Amino acid sequence: MSTASTDTNTTMAASVAAHAAIAAYARALDAGGLDAVVDLFWPDGVAEIGGVGTFEGHDAIREGYAAFIPTQPQLHFVGNTVVTSSSADEATATSDLAFFARGASCWEVRLVGRYQDTLCRRAGEWRFQRRVTTFRA
């Protein structure tokens, strides 16, 4: 196999893994799956949420995200994901997000923002090493 082919396969695998983790995060958060959200991060992972705080490690991430367990139907739509760099064991990606909550008569956009992610592969498994969430006014 040529080096170019190997590089393409590595890039493609990292991109697929990043997209899968990003989608799994949104679905877990919307479903109130606190354990599932935490499990998407490495034990030494970091979640930085603009205006809320920075949470390092599973215990801190669990405590930080406990405040986001939904009390009404909600949806995170994530798009425009661009994998900005990748290797066999690390990928970075940037995504836009829109958060919708069920209002009295319709779905309402509550906020928009951006995710900046660093994902790492360890023992063949991809998880977030760092997720930075920023919000737009």
Side-chain angles (χ1 to χ4, degrees), residues 25 46-55 64-65 68 97 111-116 130-137:
Y25 171 93
V46 176
E48 182 180 332
I49 303 170
V52 176
T54 300
F55 310 100
Y65 277 88
F68 300 116
L97 76 103
L111 60 87
V112 295
R114 178 161 284 165
Y115 294 126
Q116 293 176 300
R130 182 174 198 87
R131 170 160 263 210
V132 177
T133 307
T134 54
F135 301 106
R136 296 182 181 176

Side-chain angles (χ1 to χ4, degrees), residues 10-72:
T10 298
T11 299
M12 192 62 126
S15 181
V16 168
H19 281 85
I22 290 165
Y25 171 93
R27 289 189 179 258
L29 195 57
D30 290 340
L34 185 56
D35 289 337
V37 170
V38 172
D39 287 345
L40 289 165
F41 287 85
W42 286 111
D44 60 344
V46 176
E48 182 180 332
I49 303 170
V52 176
T54 300
F55 310 100
E56 187 169 350
H58 276 177
D59 291 341
I61 292 170
R62 180 174 280 103
E63 184 178 322
Y65 277 88
F68 300 116
I69 293 174
T71 58
Q72 63 183 14

Side-chain angles (χ1 to χ4, degrees), residues 58-104:
H58 276 177
D59 291 341
I61 292 170
R62 180 174 280 103
E63 184 178 322
Y65 277 88
F68 300 116
I69 293 174
T71 58
Q72 63 183 14
Q74 67 179 37
L75 290 170
H76 286 78
F77 284 99
V78 183
N80 302 326
T81 298
V82 177
V83 176
T84 53
S85 69
S86 63
S87 68
D89 296 319
E90 184 174 288
T92 59
T94 300
S95 305
D96 293 323
L97 76 103
F99 172 73
F100 293 80
R102 181 74 181 153

